[in-house]
Amino acid sequence: MEFDYNNLGLKCGLEIHQQLNSNTKLFCRCPNELQGTRKPDFTLKREMRPVLGEMGAFDQAMLTEYEKDISIVYECYNDVMCTYEIDETPPFECNEEARRIAIQIAQLLNSNVIEEMHVCRKNYLDGSVPGGFQRTMILAKDGYITLENDKKIGIDIICLEEDAARLIKAVQKTNYFRLDRLGIPLVEITTKPDISHPNECKECAERLGLLLWSTNVKKVLGSIRQDVNVSIKEGTRIEIKGVQKLDWIPLLINHEISRQLNLIKIKKELHNRELKAESIVDEPLDLSKELAKSKCNFVAKGIKSGKKLFGINCKGLKGIFGTQLMPDYRFGTEVSSKVKSISGLKGLIHSDENLKKYNFSEEDLKIMRQKLHSQDDDCYILVLGKKKEFEKALEVIKKRVIYAFKGVPPETRRALENGNTEFLRELHGGARLYPDTDSQAILNTDDEINIITDSLPEYPWIIIDRYSKKYNTEPRTIKELIFNDYLPLFDKIIEIYPENPTLIFTTLLETTTALKRDGKHIENITDEDYMRIFTLLKKKEIGKEAIEEMMITKTENPHTPIHEIKEKLGIEKVDMDELDEILSEIVKKSEQLIKEQEMRAMGPLMGDAMQKLRGKIDGAVISKHLKNLIQEKLKEMK
């Protein structure tokens, strides 16, 4: 999918959230580490409500969260949490280690560090913070990052803030958050909307990630999160959250452009039809009695169980709900996903669909049209649910249909793996940030900033260029080493075994990935284990074919030293005389095969040889010696 991005006025920006690898959390001294799947010691239940911002207005996103009527349960630990996480004590002083890491990141991004930082409270009502607000502070402004073509993407703001709690599960109307992540220090980097092409956005996100991972940040799954902001000239800014992979970025942007363009087309079509927004949605009517014996099984069952079937007629909207906005995503899906998010009702049925696929009979359809006074140019919507759910759903439907006359509503949307997005919440406004009354101003002195500046690490793209040239490999290989935090280990191994850099790349990237896919616990293999394996290879006590087998054994026996694994696998050093003796025996037993197939016998004989010698000596050496022996045997046969 390609667009004329310049003509559309495409503007993109990135928000990158990266956890810092300090010893403790940002505003307390609890350990900076997640507890995995460990069972919590106790739970707390809270209810949330919206509050007025400093300008005397409610934040629309918080009101939407409140309308969802969700209860919050927090899962807690006695030994790695304090009363700060559960909002029972004021914050400690800001973590100095985390602040210095953040300053280093700001300097690498050519930003102006704020001399006097002020801690602010940013309101959230989704339950991810027990106090209803996150503590954050602007650390630096007005920086930039340079792309490969030398284009500079502006860095608007860099914030140092605490991470939110992690959502563990959602059961009916209750969300369960675990508080081990709450308070972990992170930087939030917000670019200016200088990005004008989807691939440019992907490159910028990748460069920011590489730069962050060259500093003291957490380098584990989930420690970096990226959001993409997208807008076009006639549309509006949409925030796409939860972009888990770099490869998703161009697809998500293109699909969002498609969505906005089609919403703009709907807007123009509604005006062309000379419809009036305020009178387009009729009052809902209860169809439960008339459709109690419907041929549509789930409707009949729902009504029998006590649910109500309501119908809403929308004047002049024929074809609008069926308009495709993105691949496999129509305007009806747009309304339905918002209804589901706020009211909890799953799915809408509308007359732009083929209603016979739900097994509605002709009589059912006739009753609905007559009862709702639906004309040929109209579209009607069916909602099945309890009264309280329906009342919320109706309000959402009305607002969303009316907003279609304006075009694209400003929203925060969740990224989906297929490149589409779904409604998450209204876009946050500015009425939710105010000074924290429990914290003093924090000073960043010139002397401290200068000391940090003097010891900045090398830019990763310079490292990538140098390593790829030195070791004759693709730049992406070095990028993968950095993103997998293997570059320091590669440096150690290459000193031990400089003969074959490609083998080291393959081991650290491809072999580890394959073993992870097979469910092996790669984390059980330490840096020292890798170094000992390659030391054995250097001494020719093992062949390169033994590396994977030794790695597998180590993942299953984490406390067993490498030399014992070598003995356990029966890997013994084989000298050249022993090699020739073993291979000569194989050749002798296969004389008839060699006579019939000549050099084509090399494959089967190599298989026999590897069964006896795998891991004991390099396969290339085996192949060379075997080839010579077969050639000699063929000469004898002539």
Side-chain angles (χ1 to χ4, degrees), residues 405-432:
F405 285 81
K406 297 181 181 179
V408 186
E411 293 175 344
T412 297
R413 300 180 64 83
R414 180 187 291 109
L416 303 176
E417 196 164 353
N418 64 358
N420 288 350
T421 56
E422 64 181 7
F423 175 82
L424 183 62
R425 60 172 179 255
E426 307 292 349
L427 199 63
H428 277 302
R432 65 187 188 116

Side-chain angles (χ1 to χ4, degrees), residues 367-434:
I367 290 170
M368 288 187 283
R369 284 194 299 269
Q370 290 179 345
K371 182 78 174 177
L372 297 171
H373 304 291
S374 184
Q375 304 300 311
D376 289 344
D377 291 338
D378 297 346
C379 175
Y380 60 85
I381 304 163
L382 303 176
V383 181
L384 180 69
K386 296 176 181 177
K387 184 179 179 182
K388 187 176 180 182
E389 293 172 329
F390 172 75
E391 287 172 351
K392 282 188 179 180
L394 175 63
E395 191 63 27
V396 174
I397 292 168
K398 277 186 176 179
K399 286 181 179 179
R400 186 62 192 89
V401 169
I402 290 171
Y403 206 100
F405 285 81
K406 297 181 181 179
V408 186
E411 293 175 344
T412 297
R413 300 180 64 83
R414 180 187 291 109
L416 303 176
E417 196 164 353
N418 64 358
N420 288 350
T421 56
E422 64 181 7
F423 175 82
L424 183 62
R425 60 172 179 255
E426 307 292 349
L427 199 63
H428 277 302
R432 65 187 188 116
L433 194 68
Y434 53 96

Side-chain angles (χ1 to χ4, degrees), residues 48-51 61-63 65-66 123-128 132 428:
M48 295 289 178
R49 64 179 179 85
V51 294
M62 288 197 294
L63 285 177
E65 290 297 328
Y66 180 65
N123 283 338
Y124 283 97
L125 212 70
D126 60 359
S128 60
H428 277 302

Side-chain angles (χ1 to χ4, degrees), residues 169-206:
K169 60 182 176 180
V171 180
Q172 294 179 338
K173 286 283 189 176
T174 301
N175 287 342
Y176 290 78
F177 287 93
R178 195 158 290 174
L179 294 185
D180 51 349
R181 195 178 77 177
L182 178 67
I184 287 179
L186 58 77
V187 288
E188 179 186 46
I189 300 168
T190 305
T191 74
K192 293 181 179 178
D194 296 340
I195 300 168
S196 53
H197 192 283
N199 292 336
E200 194 174 83
C201 192
K202 177 184 174 182
E203 183 191 348
C204 186
E206 182 180 64

